[in-house]
Amino acid sequence: MNEAKQESKVPAVIPSLLKNWILHIVYATLDHIPPFVWEILHVITDIYFFWIQKLITYIRPHSRVIYYNAIKKLDECDTYQMWCQQASVVDEITGANLWRRNFFSRRYDFNSVIEQYTILENTLREEKYDVVKEKFSTTGPCMLRNFAGIGDKKLFTKSLMGTKLLIEQYLTRILEGLDILNNETLTPTSFFQRCKLSLGTTALILQGGSLFGLFHLGVIKGLLLQDLMPNIISGSSMGACVASLFGCLSNDQLKQLLMDDNLINIIKNDVDLLKSCGYGNLEQHLNLGTLIQNLIHHGYSQDVYLFIRFVMKYIVKEKTFEEVYQITGKVFNIVIHPTDKSCPNLLNYVTTPNVLIKSAIECSLGSGVISQDTSLLCKNLENEIEPFLNINKDKQVKFLTPENATNPSITESPYTRLTELFNVNNFIVSLARPYLAPLVVNDLKHEIKTSKYYYYKHYPNMPPINANTVGRTHRPLSQSPTKALTVEEIETEPMMSPVPPSSAAANDSAEYIIPELGIPQLNFTEMEPLAFKFKYHLERKLKNIATMEFRHRMEVLDNLGLLCSMIKRLIIDEKTPRSATEIAVVPRMKSLSLTRIIEGQLDNIPYWIKSGERSTWPALALIKTRCAVEFKLDDIIRIRRSR
């Protein structure tokens, strides 16, 4: 019987040995390729893409060249202020600034928003603060994050600058009302606490990213600089390491660390840290075959490994979740996937206060990734370090990587536990996978990128708008299908507002309803007079269908156990509760660089920080709409408690 078992094992071992032998040959070959060969390939690739771009520019119509040149300048912006200036130019070219001024849309109930805006405006002007309190109470509509559908992502895909001006002014009135109740009335703190409880809480989720995990640093920086960073953060795998950086430092310390080259300078000054991560001196790197081997079998690049070691040495040290919370007051969570179901899968100062953050990061990365002996450690009452789990010697607990973990049920999901503990109903998800950008369905894809199908009709009767009451608008991009305007011509065009002759009654009604807005209405029931609307919507719907079908097939294969770990690492995501709203921030495909991933150079750290920050800018308008009232309440409560 034993001989039969041994004979059956022999054929199974042969393919494994053959695979390892082939991989060994490939890695050895890559190690011995001279560096000048790769430099020649880089030059050839650059020349190829240069002439491809020249050909595309030659074929495109002149109006499209103007548009794409304006879009290209967005990628060259170094600050959010510069990006906003260029985004306003793009909005003028596409006509999105006209769309913003027109408050009509089927995506939200603008009549309800107008009604509530008018009530707030009148009560604040007449100082009827009891009515304002009623609107802000748990029975009022102002403490609803998605009141009348104002948080719908589709309302933020037309314009790079934001959403409808009516929605922005409505939120501004709510913030003004909160300031007045805080400063000019005797409203107790408990009132603002009840408002916050009714509104809910926002959490930032850093999902995975073993290859592009440094992208999370840029997302945190982009939110911090705009004062939109939530106080609750959760991370898994490489995201847990980045989340620990946020949880252990104050916001001021974190801003200083991420500004300029402060982070990379600290790393460069630690020669021992560089040598322990395989860098040697600053210009020396491992051979290409060794780097690829480490990338495939361990799942992280050299620069990511360096950052993990930096965080463990300089940031977390021997701190516990409770110690960090007492210092910073931040709710910092780490997601792990243990094989022992008695161990919690969400670690924070509530569930595991005495657990060492350092050991939690290693467990979140998975057993065998950073160290072979991965275990969860904690501090006892005598401040001595000991294992967190009391396991028999015969039973070994392993911690799985996110792609190898079985999908938990909705009740066992760590993010469901997060919503239960901290009243979270809104997620900002940082998904560090640029190759999945076209397939992600919960991110913010601006539809103006497909505006080659847009052609705004020209209305002959266009009365001028008073420049003192409204910002600049523009005429349609082209007065005829064959004559296009340049950006300079658009800027010199007189400020006009297309108003169909049959809409005079509607215009009078609109001015009568909300004279406080000061926004001249364009009175399109939908500001989308498109010549090729059917073709545009057809392409968009086909893309959505293909995306959902692909993701569904991958999930089915994953449930059947037919996906290998490498593909699961690239495709399968952790899911947030369906009861919560969600917005994903994803790197752009332009950020994907295979040479950066494989070589793992030191300049990857500032590169990915800038890439993450730029990817955050288009989503800031949606984040402000969903979170501005919540963060205002947090500020009021924090200031009152500090008195």
Side-chain angles (χ1 to χ4, degrees), residues 546-559:
T547 298
M548 291 187 291
E549 181 67 18
F550 175 79
R551 295 186 66 87
H552 171 69
R553 295 302 176 187
M554 292 298 103
E555 291 176 1
V556 170
L557 292 176
D558 180 39
N559 294 333

Side-chain angles (χ1 to χ4, degrees), residues 184-227:
E184 300 181 13
T185 64
L186 299 177
T187 305
T189 305
S190 59
F191 172 81
F192 297 103
Q193 292 174 335
R194 289 196 303 271
C195 290
K196 175 64 189 307
L197 184 64
S198 174
L199 186 62
T201 310
T202 300
L204 175 64
I205 307 297
L206 308 181
Q207 286 193 352
S210 56
L211 301 181
F212 309 95
L214 298 174
F215 168 82
H216 297 313
L217 291 172
V219 174
I220 291 178
K221 180 182 178 182
L223 296 176
L224 274 176
L225 294 181
Q226 301 303 319
D227 295 325

Side-chain angles (χ1 to χ4, degrees), residues 92 97-98 101 462-476 489-499 520 522:
E92 287 187 4
N97 56 345
L98 299 179
R101 291 190 177 96
M462 294 184 178
I465 298 176
N466 187 358
N468 297 326
T469 60
V470 66
R472 292 183 62 89
T473 64
H474 83 289
R475 293 170 74 178
E489 291 172 337
I490 290 174
E491 293 177 349
T492 57
E493 281 288 305
M495 292 176 292
M496 310 295 278
S497 175
V499 179
L522 306 179

